Amino acid sequence: MVPLVFWYLIQMILAMRWRWSFATIETEKLIKAHGKHIASTEGLPIQEQRDLVLKLSRRYCIHPFSIYQFRLYRDPNGALDYIFPHEAVQLHRLKNGPIRTPDHSALQDKLEFSTRAKKVGLPSVDTVHLLEQHQNVNPFELEIADQEAVFLKTRTGYRGKGAFSLHKREDQLIGYKLEDGKTLAAPGQIKAALDNMLSSDDVIVQPLLKNHSVFEKISPPNQAVILRVVTLRNSDQASICSAYLRVPVNQQLDVTEFPSARKSEVLAKVDIATGEISRNPSSSLNLDPKMSKTEDWLFSILGGTEIVPFWEEISRGSLIGQREFSSLWGIGWDWMITQKQPYLLEGNVFWGVQKLQEVSGGLVSSILWPGRK
């Protein structure tokens, strides 16, 4: 009982510190960064932004960045409908339970996940090599056909951690890191990248997939456009609650004008009923005038009536996956779509809330309690 009293006391002190000090400091930082752009694009004067953002930040002890990210200055009364970043892990633990289930472990192990996915007819990428942890591997001895490429990733954990593609051009190998697209040109760089992954985990080697032609025109040649589909278990039923594309910024952009372009991505909303691609109604990129131009460019290329290829197959497969891993409340499925077919890359137990809510709005009433709205 005593520790709980102390916990409440500490929380009260932290809340007061935020309300009377840090809320003002952080609000001013965000006003300086985004105020002029929002004023010019949405017609909301800077002082009015300051008043709205500071009031919300103090009232609910939320960071002003989340207020801008979710556009809560447009609808201040909707703030309680959102799950904020510091609450996300607790949300997943609350809904999935405190004990790690076999389904959770299976999703973490990409080989076990692939085996189970294939058993229920889900298209998973084949593994051509399994490199064991701490193994001393010469990447130049991997079997890669000329003009072909492979993708290397750790067996467990986040797919992007340290992962890179390896391309063979005559007698040379060139690598491209997944997280930032940086080139690994020197043999020592490629070996170091592989050794870094092998120091902590087994490494899976798979054929490198190529984007569908719909996405080739808007994405860098060596980076994948990922379709995230989030499914939920409601009693004995499975449903899709959100879908969106994560599109790496095209390298054709002038990076002197867009200095952070190589590290950025555009979110595009996908209609869960039809698969239609549309502009994200509250994209965080819009907060940056330069990156807003990036979005303008991307959607001018896509056009206004593009549909996600194989959408019916993908939506059906995501629901099958939720039922297969039925002990989990919600799963974020990552798909990559090639010209031939879609591939299910992985399922994520901790699929986050920020990007989903940017695209689909607040989680609380629309997802946690579907009948409330």
Side-chain angles (χ1 to χ4, degrees), residues 266-323:
V266 170
L267 297 185
K269 183 177 180 179
V270 175
D271 186 284
I272 61 175
T274 65
E276 183 175 343
I277 303 169
S278 61
R279 189 160 185 157
N280 174 12
S282 119
S283 171
S284 58
L285 291 184
N286 283 335
L287 297 176
D288 184 335
K290 292 181 179 179
M291 296 308 294
S292 183
K293 294 179 182 178
T294 303
E295 257 196 358
D296 292 341
W297 171 85
L298 186 146
F299 283 98
S300 70
I301 298 296
L302 266 184
T305 58
E306 202 68 70
I307 303 294
V308 171
F310 308 107
W311 173 247
E312 288 188 9
E313 182 179 343
I314 291 169
S315 57
R316 183 169 59 250
S318 299
L319 294 174
I320 291 172
Q322 179 66 60
R323 288 190 285 268

Side-chain angles (χ1 to χ4, degrees), residues 212-215 218 225-229 240 242-247 268-278 299 302-316 318 334-339 341-343:
H212 191 281
S213 57
V214 168
F215 304 127
I218 58 169
V225 174
I226 300 298
L227 172 63
R228 168 65 61 89
V229 180
I240 296 175
S242 180
Y244 54 90
L245 290 165
R246 301 176 60 178
V247 185
K269 183 177 180 179
V270 175
D271 186 284
I272 61 175
T274 65
E276 183 175 343
I277 303 169
S278 61
F299 283 98
L302 266 184
T305 58
E306 202 68 70
I307 303 294
V308 171
F310 308 107
W311 173 247
E312 288 188 9
E313 182 179 343
I314 291 169
S315 57
R316 183 169 59 250
S318 299
D334 284 346
W335 293 83
M336 183 174 174
I337 306 169
T338 69
Q339 199 66 29
Q341 68 176 87
Y343 286 92

Side-chain angles (χ1 to χ4, degrees), residues 41-321:
T41 57
E42 301 190 28
L44 186 63
I46 290 178
Q47 186 56 49
E48 192 171 341
Q49 290 181 54
R50 180 180 287 109
D51 293 341
L52 285 168
V53 172
L54 183 58
K55 184 178 180 180
L56 281 171
S57 182
R58 283 176 170 172
R59 177 182 294 174
Y60 300 117
C61 291
I62 54 180
H63 199 282
F65 179 79
S66 294
I67 297 171
Y68 272 103
Q69 182 182 31
F70 299 138
R71 301 302 193 272
L72 296 180
Y73 54 80
R74 297 174 181 168
D75 181 21
N77 294 327
L80 292 181
D81 202 21
Y82 285 79
I83 304 294
F84 295 95
H86 62 282
E87 301 168 326
V89 173
Q90 285 72 24
L91 167 70
H92 292 298
R93 287 176 177 167
L94 173 68
K95 300 299 289 185
N96 286 321
I99 300 175
R100 186 186 180 107
T101 67
D103 284 344
H104 187 165
S105 299
L107 288 182
Q108 290 289 299
D109 186 326
K110 297 179 180 66
L111 285 183
E112 184 178 351
F113 163 71
S114 179
T115 299
R116 285 184 59 176
K118 288 179 178 178
K119 282 184 179 179
V120 293
L122 297 176
S124 181
V125 187
D126 293 330
T127 295
V128 295
H129 295 292
L130 176 62
L131 310 178
E132 296 183 355
Q133 185 178 0
H134 303 308
Q135 183 179 349
N136 185 19
V137 178
N138 182 353
F140 292 84
E141 294 179 358
L142 295 175
E143 296 179 7
I144 308 175
D146 189 30
Q147 303 302 313
E148 294 296 326
V150 293
F151 184 69
L152 297 89
K153 61 182 180 180
T154 55
R155 179 171 178 171
T156 61
Y158 167 54
R159 170 178 171 267
K161 185 180 179 181
F164 64 95
S165 59
L166 202 54
H167 304 249
K168 189 169 186 180
R169 300 290 183 266
E170 297 180 349
D171 293 329
Q172 293 186 326
L173 289 180
I174 301 176
Y176 297 95
K177 295 183 71 175
L178 175 65
E179 289 185 307
D180 55 19
K182 288 184 178 178
T183 302
L184 304 171
Q189 291 178 311
I190 296 172
K191 181 71 164 70
L194 179 56
D195 288 345
N196 182 54
M197 287 198 294
L198 286 169
S199 68
S200 60
D201 201 352
D202 295 345
V203 171
I204 294 172
V205 183
Q206 298 177 329
L208 181 68
L209 304 178
K210 296 181 180 180
N211 289 317
H212 191 281
S213 57
V214 168
F215 304 127
E216 277 186 340
K217 55 193 176 184
I218 58 169
S219 62
N222 301 304
Q223 295 189 49
V225 174
I226 300 298
L227 172 63
R228 168 65 61 89
V229 180
V230 178
T231 57
L232 296 179
R233 184 197 70 227
N234 299 312
S235 299
D236 295 329
Q237 302 296 318
S239 62
I240 296 175
C241 75
S242 180
Y244 54 90
L245 290 165
R246 301 176 60 178
V247 185
V249 171
N250 197 297
Q251 288 181 336
Q252 293 174 6
L253 287 171
D254 180 359
V255 294
T256 59
E257 183 180 358
F258 302 99
S260 60
R262 294 184 187 274
K263 299 184 292 183
S264 300
E265 64 181 11
V266 170
L267 297 185
K269 183 177 180 179
V270 175
D271 186 284
I272 61 175
T274 65
E276 183 175 343
I277 303 169
S278 61
R279 189 160 185 157
N280 174 12
S282 119
S283 171
S284 58
L285 291 184
N286 283 335
L287 297 176
D288 184 335
K290 292 181 179 179
M291 296 308 294
S292 183
K293 294 179 182 178
T294 303
E295 257 196 358
D296 292 341
W297 171 85
L298 186 146
F299 283 98
S300 70
I301 298 296
L302 266 184
T305 58
E306 202 68 70
I307 303 294
V308 171
F310 308 107
W311 173 247
E312 288 188 9
E313 182 179 343
I314 291 169
S315 57
R316 183 169 59 250
S318 299
L319 294 174
I320 291 172

Side-chain angles (χ1 to χ4, degrees), residues 8-22:
Y8 277 116
L9 180 61
I10 292 171
Q11 295 304 310
M12 289 175 62
I13 293 172
L14 291 175
M16 294 302 293
R17 186 180 68 165
W18 176 263
R19 287 179 173 178
W20 301 114
S21 177
F22 288 100

